Amino acid sequence: EAAVTQSPRNKVTVTGGNVTLSCRQTNSHNYMYWYRQDTGHGLRLIHYSYGAGNLQIGDVPDGYKATRTTQEDFFLLLELASPSQTSLYFCASSERQGGERLFFGHGTKLSVL
Amino acid sequence: GQQVQQSPASLVLQEGENAELQCNFSSTATQLQWFYQSPGGSLVSLLSNPSGTKHTGRLTSTTVTKERRSSLHISSSQTTDSGTYLCAIDRGTGGYKVVFGSGTRLLVSP
C-alpha cells in the first residue's frame, strides 16, 4: 500500500505568518496533489505536480505556492497566511493520471488566527 | 456550479440496514471513484467505477455514464461503516483534475 506522510499534523499561525506544509510519498508515484477540505465545499484542488520540478495550477491556487523538489517530496507554501486559509489540508499521490487510485495522507489541520 | 453533487447529505441507519448513496455530476467524467473518510481521518479509495457495476465486499457501485450518475450501495451496514463517503470524478480535460463532491455522512447505530 502506498504511503503518504504529511507534516505537521497540526499547525497554528497568525495572520501574515509564513507556513510550509510537507508531504512525502514512498511509492515512486509520479503525480502528487494538494487539496483543502472545508465544510460545505468538499475537497478542492490547490496545486498538483506530475514530477520533480513540475507544478500545475488547481482550482483554488490563490494565496498558495507549491514546489516539487523530488519525486517523493511536495511542499505547500503559504507566504502571507490569512484566516480564510484555515482548513484541513490533504496531500495525495497517484501513479499516473487519468483515473488511477489516489492515495491520501492523514491531513494537516491549519489554523490561522 | 457544483460539478459533483451527492445525496443525501447525511444518513442514519440501524446496523444491518442497507444504504444507498447517490452521486450526480455535471461534466463529462473519464473516471469516477468512491472514497471513505473516517471521522477526523484520511481518505481511502473504495472503488473506481467509470461505468457499469462493480462489487467489492458489501459495496456495489453502479455508474450510468450517459446519465452522469453513480450510486454506492452498502449492504448489511455495520457501525464501523460510519463516516463520510465521497464521490470524485476525473474530468479528463488534459490535466489531471479530480473533483470531489461534498460527501454523504453516514451514521450506523447499533
Side-chain angles (χ1 to χ4, degrees):
Chain A
E1 186 81 356
V4 180
T5 304
Q6 292 182 235
S7 62
R9 294 291 296 270
N10 290 281
K11 176 73 178 178
V12 180
T13 190
V14 295
T15 299
N18 198 318
V19 176
T20 298
L21 306 184
S22 302
C23 179
R24 166 165 281 208
Q25 54 95 3
T26 58
N27 258 40
S28 302
H29 284 169
N30 292 320
Y31 285 80
M32 295 185 75
Y33 316 85
W34 278 107
Y35 287 89
R36 60 178 290 174
Q37 185 177 33
D38 305 286
T39 304
H41 290 282
L43 278 96
R44 293 179 290 175
L45 181 65
I46 305 170
H47 291 297
Y48 66 104
S49 165
Y50 54 74
N54 175 264
L55 182 64
Q56 303 293 318
I57 293 172
D59 296 319
V60 289
D62 292 347
Y64 301 96
K65 292 185 179 179
T67 179
R68 180 90 177 269
T69 54
T70 64
Q71 187 174 29
E72 294 78 21
D73 298 301
F74 195 29
F75 299 93
L76 186 68
L77 296 85
L78 292 74
E79 293 185 330
L80 285 171
S82 73
S84 65
Q85 293 176 308
T86 293
S87 187
L88 182 57
Y89 290 87
F90 284 102
C91 176
S93 72
S94 68
E95 187 172 337
R96 295 183 296 270
Q97 74 173 67
E100 293 295 319
R101 281 184 64 193
L102 286 173
F103 293 88
F104 280 85
H106 283 90
T108 295
K109 187 173 181 181
L110 174 66
S111 297
V112 183
L113 306 178
Chain B
Q2 184 120 4
Q3 296 189 49
V4 182
Q5 292 183 311
Q6 292 187 242
S7 61
S10 62
L11 185 60
V12 180
L13 298 175
Q14 292 283 333
E15 195 167 28
E17 292 182 322
N18 298 331
E20 188 85 12
L21 283 56
Q22 303 293 335
C23 175
N24 292 277
F25 42 97
S26 58
S27 57
T28 304
T30 58
Q31 180 57 280
L32 184 140
Q33 296 185 60
W34 284 95
F35 290 83
Y36 168 76
Q37 184 174 23
S38 59
S42 187
L43 289 87
V44 175
S45 178
L46 297 172
L47 283 167
S48 289
N49 186 23
S51 66
T53 299
K54 281 196 176 178
H55 304 274
T56 180
R58 293 182 292 107
L59 304 178
T60 301
S61 173
T62 300
T63 299
V64 183
T65 311
K66 264 197 267 190
E67 297 179 13
R68 297 183 179 175
R69 61 178 174 84
S70 180
S71 65
L72 181 68
H73 182 87
I74 306 172
S75 63
S76 303
S77 62
Q78 301 173 0
T79 55
T80 51
D81 294 332
S82 297
T84 301
Y85 291 80
L86 295 147
C87 172
I89 63 167
D90 170 13
R91 295 177 299 201
T93 55
Y96 185 35
K97 287 189 181 181
V98 176
V99 180
F100 285 80
S102 297
T104 293
R105 187 173 293 180
L106 175 65
L107 176 63
V108 182
S109 55

